[in-house]
Structure formats: structure tokens, C-alpha cells
Amino acid sequence: MPKKSNSAAASAAAAAAIKSSKAPSAAGKAGAANGDAKFIDSIDPEDPEYQRQLMRPAEIKEDLTLMEQRKRVSLILNSEAFRRELEEIVQSQLKTGGAQPASLDALRQLSDLLAPSASSSVAAATTSVLPVNDLRGGDAAAYQPEERLLRCKLAAVYRLVDLHGWSEGIYNHVTYREITAGSLVKIDLAGDIVDRGCTVFGVNKAGWVLHSAIHSARPDIRAIVHLHSNEALAVANSRCGLLPLCPEALAIMDEVAFHDFHGIVSDESERPALIESIGQKATVLLLRHHGVCVCGATLEEAWRRTELLMTAARIQLESLRAAGGPDNLWLPSEAAVAAGKAAAARSGANGWSFGQLEFEAAMRELDGAGYRTGYVYKEPRLRAPEDRPRKPQKPPTPLPEEEEAVAAPAGDEANAPETAQAAEPDSAESAKEEPVGESGTEQSQPAAEEAEKLNFDQSEQQPEV
């Protein structure tokens, strides 16, 4: 007869001990009655569930324990409060630089794993997402925090251009969906490579000639988005240029300049002509038969102007198609154009610089779709904290009809107009029905508090004037 294993023999011995065991002793019962019961006293050896657990192999017990632990960890990780608190810690450490690169990298990886996969237009357009922020471990430590954040923002702009359908293969200067923070190549104004990043590819010379000419002539321009989109080309090739057909056009039309086409911009001899075309004030350079360069002091500014230009160009094309030509377009008056430009110039208030609010919204959309941008949000919370004190509202000023209804004598109530009775506040009715105090002339304290509460509730329901 084959021998039993040690675990099986131990289980059999335990089962035999259970069958031969007796009920808890009288001393045990007395201890339980006194509140000094031990765990062993609460065990019923005849309980089938207890016997089944006792007979269960050690490997199965360990697996069940691990399953319970994983279940608990999963509940914690899926908690919205935990994800929000973790993201706040990561953003705080990125701003202060207090954490070590290894610990910060671990926090960032955990935060990235917990990034929500929200269903949005961006998420619906993507099936497999390559993270924007691929700087991890030693790669992240090789760059200063400012450069890491700038690389992440620039790579995110590449993704936005592609998701909006404005890319053109690999020849757009801001192009395809494979760009990451680590694959960007850093070059100087002379065209020499300073940092190759993780890519094996080189630099487009035509792109360097165009961008370096603008950067060298305009120190205020630190970001350029170059596109070959159909809408931008259509406006660039039109003699009428950009027309004031929408608020988006009014916001940028004073900053638009044109550059005539002289072939592919690969010859450095064209640099003086480019510098002359953009001048010292333009931020949008429409390249006839080529594309457009949209500039800004920051990436946020350049991206926002790109959105404005593309929207204005699309509306202009649709308007020309519907009108049958520019002669049939209904253009706004000079006064309306001036008012629209003035309104656009006031954007960027309330602590947000031009384009920052819109760029942060775009980053939220990318992060919600799983792109892991690595962007440090100026305002990571969209909702105010629950403990923020609310500004008390003043009671509404009664209407003339209400004053007349309140001032009317009691004997004339039956003859009062129906509209005045309907307009009388409920708080006044409630105050009249409350019991009076012992003196017969003043309300009791609870009644006064209830009337005040009713007045406050009604004041919150009234619209602001």
C-alpha cells in the first residue's frame, strides 16, 4: 500500500483528533461568560466548514490568502481618492525636486499605471497608445527637470497634431504619432546635434533652415509649429488672405505675415528673406505653396494660435464654398472687427497666460486616453475642495408688489390682488404661523431661528440680479 505524504498524514491525524474531541470544558464556558474567552473556545470542531478548512492543503491556503491580499490592494488602487492623492504627491515632488530620481520614478510609474482610460474622442481614435513620457530611470536622470518637462510637452504637441489630422507623414516638422520625450533630437542654431536622444535618425535640413532663421531673428519666439495642412495652404494661396469671418480669425489676423514660395527651404540663402517676411511682430507666417509656421513664446501659446488658425481657415473655406466666392461674403464692419480684436486681446486673465488653459485641457484629454504625457498641471483639480467656505448671499430685494402685499392691513387681505398674494414670500407666511412667546409680542427662540432659516433658503433660490 503506498505511503501517504507528510501533509496528507498530518491532515488525517488532525481529522481524527477533531472526531475524538469533546465539547468545550466548563472552565472554558465560564471564561466565555466572564468575557475572557479565547479564540480556541469559540471553535466548533463539528462544524463542516471548519473541518474543510483544516483539511485544505497548505498551498491552497496560501493561494487564498494571496487572493484576498490582491483584492484589497486592487480596491485601494482603484480608489479615486488614492489616485488623486498620489498624483498630487508626484506633481509636488516634480516641482520641488525633493525626491530622489529612483523614488520619484517609482511614484510616476505607479501613477501612470493608475491613469484612467476615459472614453473620449481621442481615446476612441487610438487602439494602441505609445506613452509620451518614456523617460524612466537613468534616461530621466540624464536631464534637468525643466528639460524633462519641456520634452514631454513638445512630444505631446506632436501627438495632438497627429490626432487632429494635421500631420503629413514624417515631413511635417511636427509630425507623427511615434514621437516621445526621449526620441527628440536637440540641435543648436548652427545645426550641430547636441543630444541625439534615443532615436537613430538624423535631422531634416529644410526644417532646420526654416526654424533656425526664425529663432535667430526673433528671440521672443521659443516654439514653432509648422504644418502643411490643406486649410492653411488654401488661406496662404489666397489673395484675400485671412478674412475676419469668425472670432478665431479676429484673435490672430493682426499677427499674420506671408512669405512667397521659392522652392523647398533647404538653401541657407533664403534665411534673410524669411527673416524679412516674419518681421518683428508677426506670430503666424503663411508660406505660400508650402504651409504655415505658428509661433509663440511658449509651447502653450504656439499651440493655441495653431488651433485658432486652423479653425479660422476651415470656417473661411466653408464660407467661400457656400457663398460662391469672396464677393458674396458678408464681412463685419470695421467697428465690429475692432471690438472683436479688443476682446481677444483680453484673454489669458485670472492667473492663466495665453494658451495655458486650453493646453492644460488638451493634456487632460491625452492623459485620460492613456498617453501618459508627464505634464505637470498648474491646476490638477477640476473641482473646488468640499471644505471651501461659500460666500453668503444677500437676501433678495422685495419687488414693489411684495412690499404692497406685506404692508396691506389684515382686514383688506380678502380684497388684495391675487398676484400680490402669490408673490408674497413663503417665509412671511411661516413667520406668521409660528407660536408667540410668553409676552405675546415676540416669537420664541426656535421660531425665530426657523424663520431666519426659511429666509436664507429662499434667498439662495432667487436668481442674482
Side-chain angles (χ1 to χ4, degrees):
M1 195 173 174
K3 295 182 179 181
K4 295 182 178 180
S5 63
N6 291 337
S7 60
S11 300
I18 291 174
K19 291 180 180 179
S20 61
S21 63
K22 303 296 183 180
S25 63
K29 292 181 178 179
N34 295 331
D36 299 331
K38 298 180 180 180
F39 174 72
I40 190 66
D41 298 330
S42 63
I43 296 177
D44 182 8
E46 302 297 332
D47 185 7
E49 179 63 25
Y50 174 73
Q51 295 180 11
R52 184 163 53 253
Q53 293 180 4
L54 195 62
M55 296 292 294
R56 186 172 290 157
E59 295 83 358
I60 302 298
K61 291 181 179 179
E62 183 178 1
D63 290 343
L64 291 175
T65 302
L66 291 176
M67 288 177 61
E68 289 296 328
Q69 293 176 351
R70 284 195 293 268
K71 182 179 179 180
R72 179 175 177 80
V73 171
S74 178
L75 289 174
I76 295 175
L77 296 183
N78 290 327
S79 169
E80 179 64 28
F82 175 78
R83 287 201 299 266
R84 183 168 58 249
E85 185 173 352
L86 177 62
E87 183 61 26
E88 290 178 358
I89 293 174
V90 172
Q91 303 298 347
S92 175
Q93 293 296 333
L94 283 173
K95 290 181 179 179
T96 60
Q100 297 296 325
S103 60
L104 184 58
D105 181 56
L107 285 174
R108 170 54 70 182
Q109 289 184 13
L110 181 58
S111 177
D112 289 345
L113 288 174
L114 297 177
S117 56
S119 58
S120 63
S121 58
V122 174
T126 59
T127 55
S128 179
V129 177
L130 180 65
V132 171
N133 182 17
D134 62 341
L135 297 176
R136 296 288 186 264
D139 292 337
Y143 300 103
Q144 294 296 323
E146 295 81 5
E147 183 171 348
R148 288 201 305 268
L149 297 178
L150 184 59
R151 281 176 168 269
C152 289
K153 285 201 297 185
L154 182 55
V157 170
Y158 279 73
R159 304 302 187 90
L160 290 173
V161 168
D162 183 74
L163 289 169
H164 280 77
W166 301 336
S167 62
E168 185 193 17
I170 62 173
Y171 299 105
N172 224 155
H173 303 196
V174 173
T175 58
Y176 46 101
R177 67 192 67 179
E178 297 175 335
I179 291 296
T180 64
S183 65
L184 293 169
V185 182
K186 184 198 298 186
I187 61 175
D188 57 20
L189 288 177
D192 299 324
I193 295 178
V194 178
D195 185 350
R196 187 175 293 277
C198 64
T199 182
V200 297
F201 299 105
V203 177
N204 184 289
K205 185 177 181 181
W208 170 78
V209 171
L210 177 60
H211 289 252
S212 62
I214 297 175
H215 283 302
S216 62
R218 294 280 300 277
D220 60 309
I221 293 176
R222 304 185 63 188
I224 303 173
V225 178
H226 177 68
L227 302 176
H228 294 161
S229 66
N230 296 342
E231 297 88 346
L233 272 172
V235 174
N237 295 337
S238 301
R239 293 185 180 276
C240 59
L242 185 64
L243 298 174
L245 298 176
C246 59
E248 290 80 4
L250 294 175
I252 59 173
M253 62 183 310
D254 284 347
E255 306 172 14
V256 175
F258 290 85
H259 179 71
D260 292 336
F261 183 70
H262 301 288
I264 301 299
V265 187
S266 58
D267 190 352
E268 295 185 36
S269 62
E270 194 171 348
R271 289 166 60 94
L274 286 166
I275 294 173
E276 182 180 359
S277 296
I278 195 170
Q280 295 300 316
K281 293 184 179 180
T283 58
V284 178
L285 182 61
L286 290 169
L287 307 168
R288 290 190 172 97
H289 309 288
H290 183 180
V292 62
C293 285
V294 188
C295 312
T298 62
L299 273 168
E300 290 87 345
E301 286 188 14
W303 173 250
R304 179 56 183 158
R305 288 193 180 100
T306 302
E307 286 185 311
L308 293 172
L309 173 67
M310 297 305 298
T311 301
R314 185 173 64 253
I315 291 175
Q316 181 166 323
L317 288 180
E318 293 294 335
S319 300
L320 288 170
R321 185 179 296 111
D327 295 336
N328 295 327
L329 289 177
W330 184 274
L331 297 177
S333 64
E334 294 183 0
V337 170
K341 292 178 180 179
R346 291 194 297 267
S347 63
N350 300 323
W352 296 87
S353 60
F354 177 74
Q356 190 177 22
L357 187 64
E358 294 84 358
F359 192 83
E360 191 147 317
M363 294 301 100
R364 284 197 303 269
E365 188 174 9
L366 288 180
D367 281 329
Y371 279 82
R372 306 178 190 177
T373 63
Y375 179 76
V376 177
Y377 291 90
K378 177 182 177 180
E379 184 53 72
R381 296 184 301 183
L382 297 182
R383 295 177 59 87
E386 297 296 336
D387 57 349
R388 186 182 69 175
R390 297 181 61 185
K391 183 178 179 180
Q393 298 182 4
K394 296 181 180 179
T397 303
L399 299 175
E401 293 83 355
E402 294 177 345
E403 294 179 350
E404 182 181 352
V406 173
D412 294 338
E413 287 184 357
N415 300 325
E418 294 182 0
T419 55
Q421 293 180 6
E424 185 175 358
D426 295 338
S427 58
E429 290 285 355
S430 302
K432 292 178 182 179
E433 296 173 2
E434 293 294 336
V436 298
E438 295 181 358
S439 64
T441 58
E442 294 181 356
Q443 293 179 343
S444 63
Q445 183 66 20
E449 293 178 354
E450 182 65 17
E452 182 179 359
K453 178 177 181 297
L454 288 173
N455 282 328
F456 179 77
D457 290 343
Q458 185 188 16
S459 67
E460 287 201 339
Q461 295 175 4
Q462 294 290 337
E464 294 183 0
V465 180

